[in-house]
Amino acid sequence: MTTNPTRTINPTRRAFVTGSAAAAAGLVLGFTVPLGRGGGAALAGAGHTDEITAWVVVRPDETVIIRIARSEMGQGTLTGLAQLVAEELACDWSKVATEYVPPSRNLTRGGAWKSFQTTGSRGIRGSHDYVREGGAAAREMLIAAAARAWGVPAGECRADKGVITHGPSGKTTTFGKVCAAAAGLPVPDKVALKNPKDWTIAGKPLKRLDTADKLTGKQVYGIDVRLPGMLNAAIRQYPLFGARLRSFDAAKALAMPGVRKVVKVGDDAVAVVADTWWQAKTALEAVDVVWDEGPHGRIDGADIAAMVDEGLDAKDAFVGNKAGDAAGAIAASVKQVQATYSYPFQHHATMEPMNATALWTPERCEVWCPTQSAEDALAAAAFAAGLTPDRCEIHRMHLGGGFGRRGAGPIHDYVHQAVRIAREMPGTPVKLLWTREEDMTHGAYHPVTQCRLTAGIDDQGGITGLRVRISGQSILAGIMPGRLAGGMDPVVFQCLAPKGDHAIAYSFPNLLVDHAMRNPHLRPGFWRGVNANQNAIYLECFMDELAHAAGQDPLAFRLKYMKDHPKSRAVLQAVADKAGWGRPAAKGVHRGLAQCKAFASYVAACAEVSVSDGGVVKIHRIVAATDSGHAVNPQQIEAQVEGSFVYGLSAMLMGECTVKDGRVEQRNFDTYEVMRIKDMPRVETMVMPSGGFWGGVGEPTIAVAAPAVLNAIFAATGKRVRDFPLKHSGLRLA
Amino acid sequence: MAKINVNGRTVTVDADGATPLLWVLRENLDLTGTKYGCGIAACGACTVHVNGAAVRSCALPLEAVAETDRIVTIEGLSRDGSHPVQRAWMDLDVPQCGYCQAGMIMAAAALLARTPRPTDADIDAEISNICRCGTYQRVRAGIHRAAGGKA
């Protein structure tokens, strides 16, 4: 139950912790906005005297409020982070509630909560140390307060489940009884963290903290925000990237029921503001708009494909990984194998379309929105508001899906627009909601790439050298060019990098991986799994091709090159063993393998697939393994692995955004198809934490989903699919 | 003005007859548990019960709803989250982001009302709601659990 302290009128602490008051009152958020008194400085002080550390608030009634900086979008980070803090705090888990920290408070408190970025599977792996320290420090302070009251050495006291015990005397007290005294003590500089082997809250398959309200309709998402006097806005944006608004005629719309205003939004969109969103959307359809198409109105998918295809042979490319002399070794080999793969644009398709609610006055701006990056949302709001960030506030709502669409700063377009519209109506809150069609055609798309892989094979069937040429779009070049390194986009090389979170999980004596950057006009974005998705398809399917070219077992063939990658080997061997690799599958069922290292975790999958004579693919079962180092909530890791197969296989089987006349053609779920329950294979997940490191969970498995199934399809049909989605290959789901 | 029966109460709604029931629920009646996902009855996030059957409310105009039709939304499925589907969902931690789950739960409840012990094939045939987080495995297990099976 996460709530936002500025959302409720004069709340008692408990009321806003549970958030139940507003929910019970018929789902109307009957709160006023604390204009003029809710600034960052005020938030940092008033009402927070019960704070023990930045991460922990303890109330006299024993409630423990754990502050959360990262955003919950389904991945379970809220519960996992709370488990880590609660573990060190040694509190009673049943007394734990959570609250989001507003980003403006992070500014006024000198970055006390560090990063809010909820991207790159970083929620836990990027903050586990300091959130645990926040919990441990609070525990030490609570113990110190009790020890001081008793006049005993703190070293003789310990805490467990919110109870502090003085060992020698057996005296006890509770966190709630000493919280006020503890809040006044200095925060210790250094605290020892528990050995994960001794965890009792973290590492356990606890239930999520945010489930109950999601079952009853009480959970308030951004789309559900309701403020007193609020109006609603619908928007029509540029029909293609690069187009601009030339003119519009709002006369008809202005005469329609409920319409208050028709607003030009920047130079590329028009919005109608009305009493209800349905009225706004209906009236917007009556607005005649003339667009300047810009330079991209004649571009079709074939043009983009040709542009990317050209890069496969281009002379110049950014080198991402190099060992030995790949070209020389391949040329000198008795056999060469080559294959070219391609991967299309994908849309995030969060179930909750983009939305934000903004309230603007010349002095202050507040925004209620789903965001994976609250500090970026704050910056977008401040920029659009024409105010400094300390005069703005972001009230975070749980996300109805994120997947990267609500991540990086420059793609907080929906926040920017909401504030621009609200500026036209000072003092009146306005909720902007995109239609699904606007959402689908104004995405931050999974980049389009192709890949040509060439290998030399020796007379023993071994790989002498491997050459991987990626051609295509750079996410950084498209939306964060400042992060390019000498023009190169290092993110392009996920799963193929020489070292780090996305290191290639094979050792080849001669290797060259490079990237010819070709950037079409569609805006790219970080799409759950990012470039690991297609890179793992490229590498893992090609490894399978090489195994077959060498006449060797795909498992044994891979393992030969994984001697220096024991953790990768362990997960691959585990899925093979559990799936029964090497033993016959059921009649007509065939298996395929894939593994990779992504987001610092080691993952592998074995898929069991059958393909009918008519090309109907049935995915029967997938065995998956994840070594994320530490496993903070194993059952939630399982949930992420299960979901990753849906996301990854939806893309591989049917996902594709095509371009005609510069425009994205898919407009809704009737043309942008995704998996449904009938398509869902049985997923068996092995959570294999080997300790000593912290890996991500929400994304890595997506990378192995597609290649495991593709390799099984090859085993079943003898046919290699190298163009996606699969529906182009005459194969389809039942 | 139209009269409709929602969650056991007859209410008067001031909305154009072409307004989809979804937006009447969300904007006129403040029942925001029912979600907008696509507007074309393709995703199921807006699923409610009309006379016990699962209906996608984003494509049902207000004027097509009779006063005698009994509409039930997620808020009216049970008083306290105790419907067998809600309990099963709680036991299995089904939701991730949760946005599609109101529609998913309503679809599952309608299926179980008609087919108390559904097979996997029944589920495949009847549940076509989209969940982008990919909770399908737990949704299936949840339906079997709510039906009294062991999942």
Side-chain angles (χ1 to χ4, degrees):
Chain A
M1 284 172 282
T2 297
T3 62
N4 188 314
T6 60
R7 256 189 15 207
T8 314
I9 298 176
N10 299 325
T12 65
R13 194 75 193 197
R14 186 67 188 164
F16 82 65
V17 168
T18 61
S20 58
L27 296 164
V28 181
L29 288 181
F31 50 85
T32 55
V33 175
L35 264 185
R37 62 174 184 80
L43 282 171
H48 292 274
T49 53
D50 45 7
E51 170 180 308
I52 311 296
T53 67
W55 299 97
V56 175
V57 172
V58 178
R59 304 287 299 164
D61 69 358
E62 308 295 339
T63 303
V64 171
I65 301 155
I66 295 176
R67 300 247 178 82
I68 304 293
R70 313 286 172 140
S71 295
E72 178 58 52
M73 51 188 167
Q75 83 281 37
T77 206
L78 178 107
T79 304
L81 290 168
Q83 284 178 263
L84 289 173
V85 175
E87 178 66 54
E88 297 294 339
L89 181 60
C91 64
D92 179 349
W93 179 249
S94 71
K95 299 288 200 305
V96 168
T98 61
E99 70 177 17
Y100 281 138
V101 185
S104 74
R105 204 194 304 170
N106 201 35
L107 285 181
T108 55
R109 292 275 300 268
W113 293 277
K114 302 188 193 294
S115 174
F116 287 50
Q117 288 281 330
T118 316
T119 56
S121 295
R122 278 190 204 91
I124 285 172
R125 73 185 175 110
S127 68
H128 62 86
D129 47 359
Y130 57 78
V131 302
R132 284 186 295 153
E133 284 163 10
R139 181 195 68 227
E140 294 302 307
M141 292 159 71
L142 290 158
I143 287 175
R148 187 176 291 191
W150 288 329
V152 302
E156 291 179 3
C157 304
R158 60 186 166 77
D160 184 38
K161 295 190 177 66
V163 176
I164 301 165
T165 304
H166 177 236
S169 67
K171 280 188 288 206
T172 64
T173 188
T174 64
F175 282 7
K177 291 194 179 99
V178 299
C179 63
L185 296 176
V187 178
D189 284 341
K190 266 201 132 125
V191 285
L193 296 179
K194 289 184 185 175
N195 186 329
K197 288 190 175 64
D198 300 325
W199 283 349
T200 59
I201 298 172
K204 304 301 170 197
L206 303 183
K207 292 283 176 60
R208 294 174 67 115
L209 295 171
D210 55 344
T211 299
D213 285 353
K214 292 176 177 175
L215 306 180
T216 57
K218 285 181 183 159
Q219 180 66 54
V220 176
Y221 298 85
I223 193 175
D224 306 324
V225 166
R226 199 172 173 89
L227 298 167
M230 186 181 82
L231 298 176
N232 291 273
I235 194 165
R236 192 189 311 163
Q237 307 172 70
Y238 50 94
L240 69 157
F241 288 93
R244 293 288 174 265
L245 195 62
R246 184 181 295 169
S247 63
F248 64 91
D249 179 355
K252 262 185 284 177
L254 282 166
M256 291 174 70
V259 173
R260 303 294 190 97
K261 204 160 192 172
V262 179
V263 178
K264 182 171 179 280
V265 187
D267 65 354
D268 60 10
V270 182
V272 172
V273 181
D275 293 341
T276 70
W277 184 79
W278 184 256
Q279 290 171 331
K281 186 221 174 233
T282 305
L284 183 59
E285 288 161 8
V287 178
D288 289 323
V289 184
V290 180
W291 301 98
D292 275 325
E293 287 215 337
H296 308 307
R298 288 162 175 257
I299 296 174
D300 287 343
D303 303 310
I304 295 171
M307 174 196 196
V308 176
D309 188 63
E310 180 274 329
L312 292 174
D313 298 312
K315 190 162 164 292
D316 292 324
F318 296 107
V319 175
N321 195 353
K322 189 175 191 314
D325 172 16
I330 293 166
S333 300
V334 297
K335 187 173 177 181
Q336 286 91 31
V337 179
Q338 187 173 81
T340 303
Y341 287 77
S342 65
Y343 194 87
F345 293 114
Q346 302 280 346
H347 187 250
H348 294 90
T350 60
M351 288 309 296
E352 181 192 22
M354 298 304 115
N355 69 84
T357 302
L359 172 56
W360 185 92
T361 67
E363 295 79 34
R364 185 163 165 75
C365 179
E366 297 190 62
V367 175
W368 292 255
C369 68
T371 174
Q372 293 175 243
S373 174
E375 59 266 74
D376 282 329
L378 180 65
F383 179 78
L387 295 167
T388 50
D390 62 308
R391 288 174 172 274
C392 301
E393 189 55 284
I394 297 295
H395 305 284
R396 256 186 293 175
M397 317 305 292
H398 281 352
L399 287 71
F403 313 129
R405 177 59 184 86
R406 294 171 164 121
I411 58 173
H412 279 73
D413 41 7
Y414 56 100
V415 172
H416 185 92
Q417 292 164 350
V419 173
R420 294 292 290 252
I421 296 165
R423 275 183 81 164
E424 301 291 324
M425 322 204 79
T428 299
V430 181
K431 176 161 71 184
L432 168 68
L433 168 65
W434 291 11
T435 59
R436 174 59 63 193
E437 289 80 7
E438 286 293 325
D439 189 289
M440 199 70 87
T441 51
H442 298 87
Y445 300 90
H446 190 303
V448 63
T449 62
Q450 295 185 26
C451 183
R452 178 166 295 156
L453 303 101
T454 313
I457 305 287
D458 65 21
D459 54 9
Q460 304 295 306
I463 299 172
T464 58
L466 177 64
R467 175 96 173 72
V468 181
R469 161 59 64 88
I470 299 164
S471 174
Q473 195 170 19
S474 154
I475 301 168
L476 294 186
I479 59 172
M480 304 169 105
R483 283 184 39 192
L484 292 171
M488 181 171 103
D489 178 352
V491 182
V492 161
F493 300 105
Q494 287 177 322
C495 298
L496 298 166
K499 57 182 169 39
D501 292 352
H502 295 91
I504 188 169
Y506 298 105
S507 297
F508 301 116
N510 300 294
L511 175 70
L512 176 62
V513 183
D514 59 11
H515 173 224
M517 193 185 292
R518 296 294 181 274
N519 293 319
H521 71 288
L522 261 62
R523 175 175 63 179
F526 297 92
W527 191 96
R528 188 180 181 188
V530 195
N531 291 309
N533 298 333
Q534 75 275 15
N535 287 350
I537 291 178
Y538 300 154
L539 182 62
E540 283 302 282
C541 288
F542 193 61
M543 284 297 284
D544 215 66
E545 295 202 41
L546 296 179
H548 287 279
Q552 296 181 13
D553 172 77
L555 173 62
F557 185 78
R558 281 182 173 78
L559 290 172
K560 282 197 295 185
Y561 303 97
M562 296 175 69
K563 292 191 173 65
D564 300 330
H565 307 274
K567 289 181 191 291
S568 295
R569 228 171 41 224
V571 289
L572 179 63
Q573 191 69 59
V575 297
D577 290 347
K578 185 169 163 72
W581 188 269
R583 296 195 304 275
K587 190 169 181 311
V589 174
H590 299 266
R591 298 192 180 107
L593 290 170
Q595 64 89 14
C596 79
K597 180 184 184 188
F599 304 91
S601 285
Y602 304 86
V603 293
C606 182
E608 293 188 341
V609 169
S610 63
V611 183
S612 78
D613 291 341
V616 176
V617 175
K618 171 89 183 160
I619 307 167
H620 300 270
R621 171 194 188 213
I622 293 177
V623 177
T626 295
D627 177 2
S628 55
H630 296 289
V632 175
N633 187 323
Q635 71 97 354
Q636 280 301 301
I637 295 176
E638 290 176 12
Q640 287 305 297
V641 170
E642 292 159 13
S644 291
F645 284 100
V646 178
Y647 213 69
L649 294 178
S650 288
M652 187 273 279
L653 294 162
M654 35 189 123
E656 177 182 37
C657 293
T658 54
V659 177
K660 184 160 171 48
D661 299 331
R663 295 151 165 83
V664 172
E665 291 188 281
Q666 288 69 27
R667 297 177 58 78
N668 209 319
F669 286 116
D670 54 346
T671 45
Y672 190 79
E673 297 169 83
V674 297
M675 282 171 68
R676 307 199 185 222
I677 203 167
K678 71 179 172 53
D679 309 316
M680 179 74 195
R682 191 173 87 226
V683 175
E684 299 170 15
T685 305
M686 287 181 281
V687 180
M688 299 174 53
S690 62
F693 69 100
W694 295 75
V697 165
E699 295 173 273
T701 299
I702 295 171
V704 292
V709 169
L710 288 164
N711 291 335
I713 288 173
F714 175 81
T717 64
K719 221 175 114 172
R720 282 288 166 197
V721 179
R722 302 192 185 93
D723 293 300
F724 306 104
L726 196 74
K727 62 184 182 186
H728 294 327
S729 304
L731 297 169
R732 60 193 167 83
L733 294 171
Chain B
M1 291 286 179
K3 279 189 176 176
I4 56 174
N5 184 294
V6 180
N7 296 334
R9 286 173 41 211
T10 298
V11 291
T12 305
V13 175
D14 181 12
D16 187 88
T19 308
L21 177 62
L22 168 65
W23 295 102
V24 172
L25 294 171
R26 289 182 57 81
E27 301 202 292
N28 295 77
L29 302 176
D30 297 339
L31 295 169
T32 53
T34 306
K35 295 295 191 267
Y36 166 66
C38 68
I40 58 167
C43 80
C46 65
T47 304
V48 298
H49 294 172
V50 179
N51 302 324
V55 169
R56 294 184 175 178
S57 63
C58 74
L60 180 66
L62 177 62
E63 62 206 3
V65 180
E67 191 182 335
T68 50
D69 287 335
R70 288 171 293 105
I71 298 160
V72 176
T73 70
I74 186 71
E75 290 90 349
L77 183 64
S78 67
R79 291 174 64 87
D80 50 4
S82 63
H83 186 281
V85 172
Q86 290 168 314
R87 289 209 314 267
W89 256 234
M90 188 64 141
D91 290 346
L92 298 177
D93 247 5
V94 171
Q96 290 188 28
C97 89
Y99 190 83
C100 73
Q101 293 295 334
M104 196 72 87
I105 289 167
M106 296 307 281
L111 166 64
L112 287 165
R114 199 172 59 253
T115 311
R117 297 300 291 258
T119 62
D120 279 341
D122 293 332
I123 293 169
D124 288 348
E126 295 298 322
I127 305 293
S128 59
N129 298 43
I130 294 175
C131 170
R132 289 289 283 158
C133 297
T135 60
Y136 298 133
Q137 180 149 309
R138 293 187 187 203
V139 168
R140 185 186 300 281
I143 293 171
H144 287 309
R145 189 182 186 92
K150 65 182 163 73

